[in-house]
Amino acid sequence: MELELWHIWLLLAVGLFVIEIFISNFVSVCYGIASLMTGIVAYWGFLIPEQLLVFIACSAISLLLLKPYITKHSISKRYQPNNDHKNLIGKEAIVMEEINDRKNTGRIVLSGSTWKAKSQFGEIIAKDSFVKVLNIDYSIIIVKTI
């Protein structure tokens, strides 16, 4: 059996859909839809220049219409964790490991999570003490005793 041009377009569409499963950036699916539509046009007997025109048009239409819709309704956009930790400043926490800047030790429990902590002026803060969050420096919380 000899491969016709519409077979190649459909194989390309299937390949792009499979790539989309692994990459998941919604560009492959747009080109896959365009390949599928071009395969249908090729099956009807249209010439190669007309097929390329259909591929370009369907690619542009699917990229302009489908991609924004899919990315807007994507589940990964809705469930990203909140990385804005500035709302933790001013809250109270409990020391679960003695805070000693010289020994580079210190952990606190804040809003249900454990954080590495340092004291404001380098003082030692005992375990089970209550502290107030003053600042957050990357993943280290600066605290003072209450």
Side-chain angles (χ1 to χ4, degrees):
M1 177 177 170
E2 186 177 315
L3 279 178
E4 294 183 27
L5 195 53
W6 67 274
H7 291 129
I8 295 171
W9 282 113
L10 293 180
L11 287 172
L12 179 63
V14 169
L16 287 167
F17 290 140
V18 169
I19 288 172
E20 183 62 36
I21 292 170
F22 295 107
I23 296 177
S24 187
N25 63 1
F26 303 113
V27 174
S28 303
V29 75
C30 293
Y31 288 124
I33 290 170
S35 297
L36 183 66
M37 299 306 286
T38 307
I40 293 169
V41 168
Y43 179 76
W44 289 337
F46 285 86
L47 300 173
I48 293 176
E50 295 161 337
Q51 292 174 26
L52 291 176
L53 185 63
V54 168
F55 180 77
I56 292 169
C58 288
S59 295
I61 290 169
S62 63
L63 282 170
L64 292 174
L65 298 178
L66 189 62
K67 185 168 171 42
Y69 177 79
I70 291 175
T71 53
K72 180 181 178 185
H73 293 89
S74 173
I75 196 166
S76 63
K77 292 284 185 189
R78 280 187 264 154
Y79 294 107
Q80 286 187 350
N82 183 6
N83 291 330
D84 183 23
H85 300 301
K86 296 299 179 190
N87 58 351
L88 297 176
I89 294 175
K91 291 197 174 189
E92 295 180 5
I94 188 165
V95 179
M96 66 177 285
E97 176 187 30
E98 178 185 73
I99 299 174
N100 188 336
D101 292 350
R102 290 185 187 144
K103 294 181 181 177
N104 198 22
T105 62
R107 295 197 72 74
I108 62 170
V109 177
L110 175 65
S111 298
S113 299
T114 61
W115 294 78
K116 181 163 177 49
K118 290 189 174 188
S119 60
Q120 181 181 18
F121 298 113
E123 68 269 15
I124 296 172
I125 303 175
K127 181 180 177 182
D128 297 326
S129 301
F130 286 96
V131 293
K132 184 175 184 178
V133 175
L134 299 176
N135 197 6
I136 299 175
D137 186 21
Y138 297 100
S139 64
I140 299 173
I141 295 189
I142 311 300
V143 296
K144 72 174 185 177
T145 55
I146 298 177

